[in-house]
Amino acid sequence: MFKSLNDLQKLILQNKVKKKLALAVSQDGHSLDAVYNAYQAGIIDPILIGSKPETEAIIAAKGYDFSHATFIHEPDTEKSVQIAVKLVHDQKADILMKGKVATPTLLKGVLNKEWGLRTGRLLSHFALFEVNTYHKLIAVTDVAMNIAPNLKDKIDIVNNSVGYLNKMGISKPKVAVLGAIEMVNESMQATLDAALLSKMNQRDQIKNCIIDGPLAFDNAVSFESAKHKGIKSEVAGDTDLLLMPDIEVGNVLYKTLVFFAKAKVASVILGASAPIVLTSRSDSEESKYNSILLAAMA
Ligand code: COD
């Protein structure tokens, strides 16, 4: 199991992975920093789609050499998204990345029925955290795409994330389905869904992982806390993946980990025909770079 996001970087560099990355609405300093670092490391060949004069002005101010990159001038945001998504749709690029564009605008392009990146599966967001106070990397889903997933959506969200964790070499990731409490309460839908997901996993309806829930956040990530409450669980205290009840809880946890716990993070949208790097405007350059690595590995 990876203990740090640096381990991920080592693996990518060892395997000499090289992908074409389409940056939608490229006039964004933070995104260009991350893209440049990945380009310099030999991980990606960038295609920069957006306002060329604005993109070039940022590049010049930073002193970057993008002389071997491809530029496509398109000042309109929605058209720029369309060009970037189409490049991936047509397999002329391997990774789509969000630049200076609102998340829903990019996702609506991705979901376009004619030229989008649909596969028939649910798309979901997967974030991988390195938190100093936890003994291994921990994944969190879904904090950015599915707003209020129902049971069926949660099955797909788990399967997308488990598939990625399996690829990372974790053959049976431990999945904690979060609720406010660790008991089933018929008035709390998250606890009902959690119990059903656990049973479906026991019956092999959801494979390649060990699911337990409902678990409250403390017993999902702390053996002591679970022991104190008398919870017997293979997952408690050793979780690889936290399944969020909805986007609000997920997004608040993501930002709490980054801003208060100073956690490092990498994130990607899974389930589309290609990985999508969709970091938020407030994410650091390092987190955007790590997200490119995560997408390159997908
Ligand atoms: N996977 C696959 N198909 C999907 C998904 C998905 N996750 N979501 C919607 N679709 C399909 C539907 O089946 C339908 O065919 C079509 O897309 C439109 O569905 P709507 O009307 O429910 O979706 P939209 O277009 O109104 O919105 C989809 C978004 C992804 C834009 C929306 O869910 C959204 O805004 N999500 C939150 C994004 C966000 O603000 N994140 C901020 C956190 S940083």
Side-chain angles (χ1 to χ4, degrees), residues 13 50 63 67 72 93 110 128 136 157 166 183 198 275:
L13 294 175
S67 49
I72 299 178
V110 167
L128 192 60
K136 58 184 172 181
I157 293 171
N166 292 157
M183 298 297 172
S198 306

Side-chain angles (χ1 to χ4, degrees), residues 58-80:
I58 297 170
I59 289 172
K62 289 179 182 283
Y64 292 158
D65 174 9
F66 268 106
S67 49
H68 296 288
T70 306
F71 289 79
I72 299 178
H73 176 59
E74 178 46 75
D76 179 81
T77 297
E78 281 174 17
K79 284 186 191 155
S80 167

Side-chain angles (χ1 to χ4, degrees), residues 103-104 107-108 111 113 118 121-123 143-147 247 251:
T103 300
L107 291 179
K108 278 174 197 278
L111 291 171
K113 286 194 174 131
R118 287 169 176 253
R121 284 159 56 197
L122 192 81
L123 275 63
V143 310
M145 182 147 193
N146 292 285
I147 296 173
I247 199 171
N251 209 269

Side-chain angles (χ1 to χ4, degrees), residues 124-129 131 137-144 157 161 165 176 178 217 221 239-246 249-255 257 265-268:
S124 60
H125 185 267
F126 172 85
L128 192 60
F129 283 93
V131 195
L137 292 181
I138 187 161
V140 181
T141 188
D142 176 334
V143 310
I157 293 171
S161 299
L165 291 167
L178 289 189
F217 183 77
V221 298
T239 299
D240 293 298
L241 173 68
L242 291 164
L243 179 69
M244 296 294 125
D246 60 34
V249 180
N251 209 269
V252 171
L253 175 67
Y254 181 106
K255 285 177 181 153
L257 288 174
V265 63
S267 60
V268 68

